[in-house]
Amino acid sequence: MKGLIGNVVAFCLTFLVGCSLTAPSSSLDPTSGTPNQAELEPLEWWQQTVVYQVYPRSFQDSDGDGTGDIQGIISRVNYFVELGVEAIWISPIYQSPMADFGYDISNFTNIDPLFGTLDDFKQLSELLRENGIKLIMDFVPNHSSDLHPWFNASVHREGKYADYYVWKDPKGFDAEGKPIPPNNWTSVFAGSMWEWNEVREQFYLHQFVKEQPDLNYENRQVWNEILAATKFWLDMGVDGFRVDAVPHIFEDQRFLDEPFNPWGNPDAQEDEYGSYDHIYTNNLPQVLDFLAEMRMLLDVYTASDGIIRCMMVESAVPSESLMDYYGTEQRPIAHFPFNFNLLGMTPESGAEDLKNLVDVWFQLMPERNWADVLIGNHDNRRASTKWGVEAIDAANMVNMLFKGTSVTYQGEELGMEDRWISWEDTVDPAGCNVGPDRYEQFSRDPARTPFHWDNSTNAGFSTANKTWLPLHQNYPEKNVMTENAAEESHLKVYKELVKIRQRNVWKYGTQSTLVLNDGAVFAMLRAAPISVDQGSVLLLANIGDESQVVDVSSVAGVPPTATVLIRSVGFQDGDTTIGSQIGTNAVPLGPRNSIVLGFPST
Ligand SMILES: *[C@@H]1O[C@H](CO)[C@@H](O)[C@H](O)[C@H]1NC(C)=O
Ligand SMILES: *[C@@H]1O[C@H](CO)[C@@H](O)[C@H](O)[C@H]1NC(C)=O
Ligand SMILES: *[C@@H]1O[C@H](CO)[C@@H](O)[C@H](O)[C@H]1NC(C)=O
Ligand SMILES: *[C@@H]1O[C@H](CO)[C@@H](O)[C@H](O)[C@H]1NC(C)=O
Ligand SMILES: *[C@@H]1O[C@H](CO)[C@@H](O)[C@H](O)[C@H]1NC(C)=O
Ligand SMILES: CC(=O)N[C@H]1CO[C@H](CO)[C@@H](O)[C@@H]1O
Ligand SMILES: [Ca+2]
Ligand SMILES: [Ca+2]
């Protein structure tokens, strides 16, 4: 989605400016604080875990209709266990007409029949609990579907519902008598944020598609309704929420035009979200008030049994502003806001770019907070596209060794790639709304194709004749079955990374980054605070296209020899086998090769 991608990339560019080229090899930049005894207290589940994002339409279809469902997820719970992930986040499965594939909800307390029933949900929730896996629900407070009964009642100005949505009179009427929208606000998925309603004879606001009318958060009754819905799921036993699109919750009540193209971009299009500076519709301070109230509700449940209900928020704003979402000690808000910085990677990025993308969060985050990281989601190009297909292991290594909660989007562990989707097969409104000439730039379909389980028809995802999106053509080679059987595979690298994460001790230590070999090699050292065998790990990733020999022997904390823990698939040097000892003064790295070394902490 351009809005998200645009914001994130624009921001990344601003902080890359003026960075020095190569740091001297003996001085590491500590990017998180020095360890102290307090840091050795056990981490909470939401800090320890990998959060695995299930995009339910594309995970597993149980009934052959071509779309994934809850029974499908149930049949694959063992896969989460095999991976070693201890929490899953499921993209919306609520009742929905699917104008935005579930992000348009017509009943906040029900499951869509396409995905199953509330009983299926209970079954999934219990099975996950039996397997020690936490369940996090995607929650979408900003808008409902236009088919939600509240909206119809609001259209008809029925009682309390009259002000549940954001209604405005037209600015006037044009020569043909057509109503003119109240201002120039442009929606995330292109075109006006305002849609005329014939019955009410007013415009309603929609920050996303017109089938997603924005709820009116100026109305306290709306807060109560939404909080009641979150309570419903907490009572159903969910372990937390991943709260969607929070910067869009409030709008400035003066309803003034937003500045068009203040950056002077000659290609700015009037109907595109990215062409405006959204000063009146994005990230208003009241957002924090609402989220703090939601957090208070979660904390009531936490207090009742001591099991933390976790709140993660999704907000595509610059990292400086994201820090506000942590709240304060007096008024906690999110356990963490999603760290989208690594979405700024491109196949052209160098090690210095990567270092900056990794470091920025720790430069901004208040010490007492906890970081997180992700390399992809259902809204962006897949990590294998952003980093280059051969660098997917490096991407997973950075993601999993990062000092914070790691989030994996389904398929990253296999190295799944974007699939080109024809205009005829395009279903994402972000693509459909801009037409056949521009859809490839905006459609999110390429990263949403069905998951690859094995090499049978439809990769074992579905027995349907036609799946909701076509599968990637490479599924016969890139799938769980094949990668499990192979001597080396992205999946095996990923599983090893999870195992290293579970070897707790270094998680408390520092994270330092370094650029080596004239900007070709990225290094990340995670030094454990106490002396343990293999307590520290060092990641070395050759981000360039030339072979390198890396000397890290003079880096503080790195001993002369280390154990090879993990290598990327296709690692070029035959001698550096897993488990072997190698000299840290000459680590061989072929193009796009990466390696994880372990050694005792000092
Ligand atoms: C929403 O779903 C719940 C089931 O949890 C049901 O009881 C309720 O009637 C539904 N609401 C509407 C407006 O359909
Ligand atoms: C919408 O509301 C009107 C007026 O209350 C009612 O007559 C109509 O049946 C409702 N439509 C739906 C689809 O609920
Ligand atoms: C609002 O957007 C329109 C283009 O749709 C532009 O012509 C106008 O200048 C914008 N208003 C402001 C205040 O920038
Ligand atoms: C799937 O993989 C198995 C095991 O490698 C192989 O025997 C079989 O021929 C493959 N089937 C297809 C359809 O490629
Ligand atoms: C797939 O659909 C086509 C067209 O409806 C039909 O002719 C064909 O028999 C179907 N194939 C299977 C395997 O169901
Ligand atoms: C990353 C993410 O969850 N993006 C979602 C933000 O919200 C819009 C509207 O609800 C969705 O379309 C995106 O998928
Ligand atoms: Ca299905
Ligand atoms: Ca809103």
Side-chain angles (χ1 to χ4, degrees):
M1 160 163 91
K2 178 67 182 308
L4 290 184
I5 297 170
N7 282 344
V8 171
V9 171
F11 175 64
C12 296
L13 290 177
T14 59
F15 72 73
L16 289 182
V17 170
C19 293
S20 64
L21 247 157
T22 315
S25 70
S26 53
S27 78
L28 283 152
D29 288 357
T31 55
S32 70
T34 356
N36 56 44
Q37 207 50 40
E39 275 202 71
L40 293 175
E41 280 166 23
L43 295 175
E44 301 289 351
W45 71 261
W46 59 274
Q47 299 173 302
Q48 304 251 21
T49 189
V50 175
V51 177
Y52 186 89
Q53 180 190 358
V54 173
Y55 191 70
R57 299 181 68 86
S58 289
F59 195 60
Q60 176 68 60
D61 176 20
S62 73
D63 59 0
D65 67 356
T67 303
D69 44 53
I70 295 176
Q71 283 299 334
I73 303 173
I74 287 173
S75 72
R76 296 295 189 180
V77 166
N78 262 343
Y79 181 62
F80 307 132
V81 176
E82 276 171 39
L83 288 179
V85 301
E86 290 162 329
I88 63 166
W89 143 40
I90 309 183
S91 285
I93 48 178
Y94 310 99
Q95 192 179 313
S96 166
M98 304 289 163
D100 187 21
F101 299 107
Y103 284 91
D104 49 320
I105 298 169
S106 53
N107 185 335
F108 287 95
T109 57
N110 211 348
I111 299 290
D112 195 89
L114 184 70
F115 295 122
T117 62
L118 277 170
D119 283 336
D120 293 329
F121 179 82
K122 277 182 208 150
Q123 196 186 331
L124 172 63
S125 152
E126 275 155 29
L127 188 59
L128 289 170
R129 185 166 312 114
E130 282 164 23
N131 284 281
I133 298 166
K134 303 285 185 194
L135 173 56
I136 296 155
M137 290 289 266
D138 207 320
F139 196 77
V140 190
N142 178 62
H143 44 262
S144 76
S145 159
D146 61 339
L147 297 184
H148 196 295
W150 297 343
F151 188 68
N152 186 49
S154 195
V155 165
H156 293 92
R157 299 183 198 256
E158 272 174 35
K160 66 173 186 180
Y161 298 107
D163 298 325
Y164 265 36
Y165 295 84
V166 184
W167 294 100
K168 285 293 279 182
D169 287 329
K171 199 173 178 175
F173 294 85
D174 67 12
E176 286 141 39
K178 264 182 60 190
I180 302 167
N183 58 34
N184 74 351
W185 293 357
T186 297
S187 80
V188 173
F189 296 140
S192 177
M193 246 188 225
W194 298 99
E195 181 73 10
W196 179 249
N197 182 274
E198 288 293 347
V199 177
R200 182 152 161 159
E201 296 191 309
Q202 276 188 313
F203 282 97
Y204 68 83
L205 181 98
H206 59 91
Q207 291 225 25
F208 294 89
V209 292
K210 66 178 194 313
E211 292 87 358
Q212 291 167 307
D214 275 50
L215 287 159
N216 175 18
Y217 276 83
E218 300 299 321
N219 181 347
R220 283 301 291 215
Q221 185 66 32
V222 167
W223 291 38
N224 296 341
E225 293 274 14
I226 292 300
L227 292 171
T230 55
K231 187 170 182 311
F232 174 89
W233 295 105
L234 289 165
D235 289 335
M236 291 279 285
V238 307
D239 300 290
F241 297 100
R242 176 271 187 198
V243 193
D244 181 66
V246 298
H248 303 275
I249 293 180
F250 285 87
E251 292 80 27
D252 188 296
Q253 293 300 296
R254 291 170 295 168
F255 296 96
L256 302 172
D257 273 355
E258 288 187 328
F260 175 66
N261 192 16
W263 310 280
N265 170 14
D267 299 325
Q269 304 275 317
E270 281 202 357
D271 65 342
E272 289 180 11
Y273 190 74
S275 302
Y276 297 80
D277 191 3
H278 297 278
I279 50 178
Y280 300 128
T281 55
N282 198 270
N283 212 23
L284 303 192
Q286 301 93 300
V287 169
L288 299 176
D289 301 334
F290 172 71
L291 293 175
E293 199 131 326
M294 190 166 169
R295 170 63 185 266
M296 259 156 56
L297 177 62
L298 267 67
D299 285 352
V300 169
Y301 284 76
T302 300
S304 73
D305 58 12
I307 301 166
I308 290 182
R309 306 306 193 283
C310 183
M311 183 162 148
M312 315 171 179
V313 303
E314 189 242 351
S315 172
V317 301
S319 296
E320 285 91 339
S321 310
L322 278 180
M323 298 304 146
D324 297 340
Y325 287 93
Y326 279 115
T328 60
E329 219 148 345
Q330 295 72 36
R331 191 175 82 149
I333 302 179
H335 288 85
F336 54 79
F338 275 9
N339 170 3
F340 286 125
N341 288 312
L342 286 179
L343 295 180
M345 278 298 279
T346 72
E348 290 76 43
S349 302
E352 187 71 45
D353 301 329
L354 176 53
K355 174 176 160 48
N356 286 315
L357 295 172
V358 167
D359 288 352
V360 65
W361 197 266
F362 296 101
Q363 288 156 2
L364 297 168
M365 185 178 76
E367 189 89 26
R368 64 189 167 77
N369 293 122
W370 183 255
D372 68 289
V373 69
L374 55 83
I375 53 173
N377 62 24
H378 62 286
D379 273 352
N380 286 274
R381 297 290 166 257
R382 279 192 171 274
S384 53
T385 302
K386 287 182 171 289
W387 294 62
V389 178
E390 313 83 48
I392 186 63
D393 295 319
N396 280 325
M397 286 173 184
V398 173
N399 192 15
M400 302 292 275
L401 300 179
F402 195 89
K403 186 179 179 180
T405 304
S406 299
V407 185
T408 295
Y409 175 49
Q410 69 182 39
E412 278 165 4
E413 73 278 23
L414 304 176
M416 274 182 71
E417 294 165 43
D418 292 327
R419 183 208 195 278
W420 181 78
I421 308 277
S422 69
W423 168 246
E424 288 68 35
D425 283 339
T426 294
V427 290
D428 179 24
C432 297
N433 284 1
V434 293
D437 296 337
R438 280 185 289 166
Y439 84 95
E440 285 175 77
Q441 187 192 337
F442 291 96
S443 172
R444 299 166 293 173
D445 291 334
R448 297 178 173 182
T449 62
F451 192 80
H452 303 173
W453 295 103
D454 56 41
N455 65 352
S456 66
T457 312
N458 292 332
F461 162 70
S462 173
T463 56
N465 213 334
K466 192 171 190 294
T467 53
W468 80 283
L469 276 176
L471 280 101
H472 197 289
Q473 299 88 334
N474 68 10
Y475 81 77
E477 300 87 49
K478 242 176 211 193
N479 60 67
V480 174
M481 185 192 78
T482 308
E483 294 199 23
N484 265 332
E487 188 131 339
E488 57 166 29
S489 67
H490 303 308
L491 181 57
K492 286 194 163 168
V493 167
Y494 183 90
K495 286 184 178 176
E496 281 307 311
L497 286 165
V498 176
K499 282 198 197 121
I500 291 192
R501 276 184 68 91
Q502 285 166 344
R503 229 194 290 143
N504 242 330
V505 63
W506 55 272
K507 279 196 245 165
Y508 303 102
T510 54
Q511 168 174 313
S512 325
T513 57
L514 184 64
V515 171
L516 298 159
N517 293 44
D518 287 330
V521 174
F522 169 76
M524 186 160 97
L525 173 65
R526 296 296 317 278
I530 48 174
S531 185
V532 194
D533 190 35
Q534 309 297 311
S536 296
V537 291
L538 175 67
L539 157 64
L540 296 172
N542 182 356
I543 303 299
D545 295 323
E546 311 283 328
S547 287
Q548 303 288 342
V549 177
V550 186
D551 179 1
V552 278
S553 58
S554 59
V555 172
V558 178
T561 57
T563 308
V564 178
L565 300 180
I566 311 179
R567 300 185 309 172
S568 57
V569 171
F571 197 84
Q572 284 189 358
D573 186 274
D575 295 335
T576 51
T577 51
I578 306 288
S580 65
Q581 296 286 313
I582 61 166
T584 55
N585 61 341
V587 183
L589 287 175
R592 308 266 160 183
N593 281 182
S594 47
I595 196 166
V596 179
L597 305 176
F599 40 84
S601 37
T602 46

